Amino acid sequence: MIKVSICGRNSHHPSPCHVEHKDGLPNYLLLLVKTEAWFVLDNRRIYTKPNMAILFNRNSYIHYGCDKANYNDDWIHFDIDNEEELVLFSSLSIPFGQPIYISNIHALSHYVQLISNSYRTRSLHWEAITNSLMHALLYSLDEELATPNNPFISHKYYPSFSALRSQLYNDPSANWSGDDMAKSLCLSLSYFQHLYKDFFNCSCQQDIILARLEKARFYLSNSDMPIGKLALFCGYNNEIHFMRQFKKHEGITPSMYRANHKSSHHSNSSNQLSN
């Protein structure tokens, strides 16, 4: 079984950062790095581009950072039972201590979100759920190495689009528009929209909505922020628009979503106490 020790998603550093573990860590560390960064690998400082994953072995030297503000990553510390460890890693081609560039880091980041949610709620079957999600995450990362599932990854504009999409999902509450996004890449709106749909299988406007709803679901589940304030926090100009859009996509109102989550969490906590 894969056991998560601690994890986090969209970890922001408001100033340049520097992390070093000279003696390594007692568990594995997986990073999904969404911004530029640097890593000391084989005694050399390597500068990496956004949308990169790196897996560190247990007890290995770890040294990385970012010279700019707003470094952002997802991170998971985990261990694997001895009887499964050799089988799992022998079936995967994920190298230790080497940058892996990801064609769709948002899909992998979504796994981290689900793992983080399961880890925090500690529901009745949280360990089994987390174990399954970790397998899915590692196998998905392995697929990136074996057969990149995005046929456009070698397109000259793909890195710029992918970086822009990372900015969107990192800060969906900003005043995003297709026109401004196209201008930021010096492309016409029609060509930008065409490429965006090809690259990510959805329009940029749909992606803006999905990014905002993802943020809304997280804060509905993990905060008591009033709905009106949360709507503004997630990039909506008014509460009514937010509520209508949320119900259209989720099938229930934001208040019902929050109530359902709290009810489920309370029920799971009660079950754990009774056990």
Side-chain angles (χ1 to χ4, degrees), residues 82-262:
N82 289 334
E83 60 269 22
E84 185 179 357
E85 185 171 18
L86 291 177
V87 175
L88 177 62
F89 280 121
S90 64
S91 69
L92 301 176
S93 55
I94 303 173
F96 288 114
Q98 293 184 31
I100 304 167
Y101 289 97
I102 309 300
S103 64
N104 187 1
I105 200 168
H106 310 293
L108 298 183
S109 184
H110 185 61
Y111 280 124
V112 179
Q113 180 184 4
L114 294 174
I115 292 166
S116 182
N117 289 345
S118 178
Y119 176 82
R120 285 195 305 271
T121 57
R122 302 296 177 101
S123 62
L124 180 62
H125 301 295
W126 77 272
E127 288 185 320
I129 293 171
T130 301
N131 173 59
S132 297
L133 289 169
M134 280 298 304
H135 276 86
L137 172 60
L138 290 173
Y139 282 122
S140 296
L141 181 57
D142 187 65
E143 281 191 348
E144 289 279 347
L145 287 164
T147 52
N149 53 18
N150 188 333
F152 298 101
I153 193 169
S154 60
H155 193 287
K156 67 176 182 178
Y157 284 121
Y158 185 82
S160 299
F161 272 74
S162 186
L164 184 64
R165 196 183 193 209
S166 289
Q167 293 175 32
L168 165 61
Y169 274 81
N170 292 339
D171 187 19
S173 57
N175 188 26
W176 294 96
S177 72
D179 191 51
D180 289 340
M181 294 168 79
K183 288 179 179 177
S184 72
L185 299 182
C186 300
L187 298 174
S188 69
L189 178 60
S190 60
Y191 188 47
F192 171 82
Q193 291 174 327
H194 171 75
L195 288 178
Y196 202 100
K197 184 70 178 289
D198 278 349
F199 290 160
F200 307 121
N201 202 31
C202 66
S203 71
C204 62
Q205 189 58 43
Q206 289 172 325
D207 228 9
I208 292 169
I209 294 171
L210 293 175
R212 288 174 175 171
L213 291 179
E214 179 182 289
K215 184 174 182 177
R217 289 193 299 270
F218 176 83
Y219 282 97
L220 285 168
S221 302
N222 296 280
S223 79
D224 294 318
M225 189 184 302
I227 300 299
K229 184 177 180 181
L230 188 145
L232 293 173
F233 185 65
C234 293
Y236 291 89
N237 292 328
N238 64 77
E239 181 178 350
I240 301 301
H241 182 211
F242 165 64
M243 293 175 65
R244 287 176 177 170
Q245 198 164 82
F246 190 93
K247 186 173 182 180
K248 178 181 178 181
H249 283 262
E250 300 297 326
I252 56 176
T253 66
S255 297
M256 292 173 62
Y257 184 92
R258 170 174 278 165
N260 289 347
H261 178 83
K262 287 188 174 181

